[in-house]
Amino acid sequence: MFVTHWSGVTEVEVNILHATVSELSQINLVTEEFPAANLVTVSGTVSGLGIGEGAIIAMDMDDDEPSFSDNTYSLDVPPGTYDLVAVKGSLAQVGPIAVNKMLIQRNVTVSGNTTINVDFNGSDAFDPPGTRNAVIGGVLSGEYVNGFVRFLSHNKTEITVGERFGGSSFSFTPVPTNKQFGNDIHYLNAIATTDTTIRLIERYFKEPMDISATLPSPFGNASVTVATTTPYTRFTASWDAYSGAQAYFARFISVTGRAVSWFVGLSAGWLGGQTSYTLPDLSGLSGWDNNWGFPSSGLVDWEVGAVKTNRPIQDYVNAKFVPTDGLEVSIAGKRGRSTITP
């Protein structure tokens, strides 16, 4: 068992992974304090925008900052070494922007507040190779589909290069091969949901290409019950076995009261055929606070599901840190809401 935990003024998150050593011998994981400590500001001007154009500037993972009419940007990041990645293009489309120019500055070391001006007419800017198309198959009646393609740079800067809300096909603009370095990679993520189901397909790829991906088959039955409310509320998740699953997962998020979320990943080898799991009692751990668990009353949203990949499960767990070209991940699950009563 591998447990990580962080807590902030208003939010608590607990992550637990159960796996055999043969399935998961190494985990690449970054944890941050919340709110993040010692943030520094990277800011500057944005030049080279045409009429009706905007830009997205990114540094660090999941940190996109749009810059529009004011032609400036500002990002807050922990000190470190990053790639600064930027795209610009027309704002008149469904999705982020219709990209017509890209820019990458590699190995930017940031130790304090830093000014970096972005010039789409400068030497770091380049033309994209044109758009590519993503088509998501297997969508069922009643499902709502969202999809995006992101570029993930060698130094782990992430930026969206194509997106669609409410549709199963969209265009994206990849980074050309001759401008890629090291572990640079793109990844497609498409998710189809209803009030009670979730299906997701993810594909990692380096070369600019059209992508066609099919959502996985629906998950079977799943349920969540309250196992106990002392010393904090713990849930039992039960599910139908899913053909070919390499792992299962359960996620719990409080709806009322204090903000608490738990995620549990369970490898097939560790489960050994089991189709249920009860959250552990961690109250005996040194430094543990029972307030990091769920309260004795309230509402909790949950998801239970399965994970399949075309690679070892190790590649999926470490995908954002050591990405594998060609990795495809399928996730299917059920979702619901439980009431906790004392």
Side-chain angles (χ1 to χ4, degrees):
M1 182 175 74
F2 177 82
V3 180
T4 66
H5 157 265
W6 64 261
S7 64
V9 176
T10 60
E11 188 171 354
V12 172
E13 180 179 316
V14 176
N15 297 280
I16 300 173
L17 295 179
H18 293 281
T20 65
V21 174
S22 61
E23 293 169 304
L24 196 60
S25 60
Q26 179 181 348
I27 299 174
N28 292 294
L29 184 68
V30 173
T31 60
E32 295 182 4
E33 296 180 29
F34 184 84
N38 303 318
L39 291 180
V40 297
T41 299
V42 179
S43 60
T45 61
V46 181
S47 58
L49 298 179
I51 296 174
E53 290 187 332
I56 299 174
I57 318 298
M59 182 179 281
D60 200 6
M61 295 181 71
D62 301 314
D63 197 0
D64 294 43
E65 177 70 19
S67 174
F68 301 119
S69 59
D70 57 2
N71 294 315
T72 62
Y73 77 97
S74 180
L75 301 170
D76 293 323
V77 299
T81 300
Y82 301 97
D83 297 322
L84 185 147
V85 183
V87 298
K88 83 169 182 78
S90 169
L91 301 175
Q93 74 155 34
V94 177
I97 57 176
V99 176
N100 58 36
K101 204 78 168 181
M102 296 178 158
L103 180 150
I104 302 178
Q105 293 186 29
R106 302 282 184 178
N107 300 316
V108 178
T109 299
V110 177
S111 58
N113 294 341
T114 304
T115 298
I116 302 176
N117 295 324
V118 173
D119 183 3
F120 284 103
N121 293 321
S123 59
D124 291 318
F126 53 89
D127 294 326
T131 59
R132 300 293 188 268
N133 296 312
V135 178
I136 310 305
V139 179
L140 300 176
S141 175
E143 289 184 318
Y144 185 83
V145 183
N146 290 334
F148 63 79
V149 171
R150 288 179 179 162
F151 172 71
L152 180 62
S153 80
H154 182 80
N155 280 323
K156 304 301 174 264
T157 292
E158 197 171 22
I159 195 166
T160 301
V161 295
E163 191 171 35
R164 177 70 185 273
F165 296 101
S168 59
S169 63
F170 60 97
S171 62
F172 63 94
T173 307
V175 174
T177 304
N178 64 355
K179 295 297 183 180
Q180 294 185 33
F181 172 80
N183 284 330
D184 283 359
I185 204 160
H186 306 87
Y187 70 96
L188 163 81
N189 181 293
I191 182 170
T193 58
T194 69
D195 289 342
T196 59
T197 66
I198 178 172
R199 296 191 299 146
L200 179 148
I201 187 78
E202 196 166 67
R203 173 94 56 86
Y204 289 77
F205 59 100
K206 288 187 70 69
E207 302 293 329
M209 65 177 72
D210 292 331
I211 295 291
S212 178
T214 302
L215 292 162
S217 58
F219 196 71
N221 295 315
S223 63
V224 167
T225 57
V226 175
T228 181
T229 57
T230 56
Y232 53 85
T233 295
R234 295 188 288 128
F235 301 98
T236 296
S238 302
W239 58 86
D240 290 344
Y242 190 79
S243 178
Q246 291 163 282
Y248 292 85
F249 67 90
R251 180 181 285 109
F252 308 89
I253 302 173
S254 61
V255 179
T256 56
R258 62 180 182 269
V260 178
S261 66
W262 284 47
F263 173 84
V264 180
L266 308 154
S267 76
W270 184 88
L271 281 168
Q274 297 179 76
T275 56
S276 66
Y277 175 85
T278 300
L279 293 181
D281 180 359
L282 302 179
S283 60
L285 292 179
S286 176
W288 178 260
D289 184 338
N290 286 331
N291 288 316
W292 298 340
F294 291 97
S296 59
S297 63
L299 300 174
V300 171
D301 284 341
W302 55 264
E303 290 181 359
V304 174
V307 179
K308 294 172 61 173
T309 80
N310 61 351
R311 298 285 196 276
I313 198 68
Q314 173 97 51
D315 290 353
Y316 166 58
V317 172
N318 294 330
K320 289 293 183 70
F321 301 94
V322 188
T324 300
D325 188 19
L327 171 67
E328 183 168 287
V329 181
S330 298
I331 295 175
K334 286 290 180 68
R335 59 206 320 195
R337 175 170 289 182
S338 293
T339 301
I340 310 170
T341 55

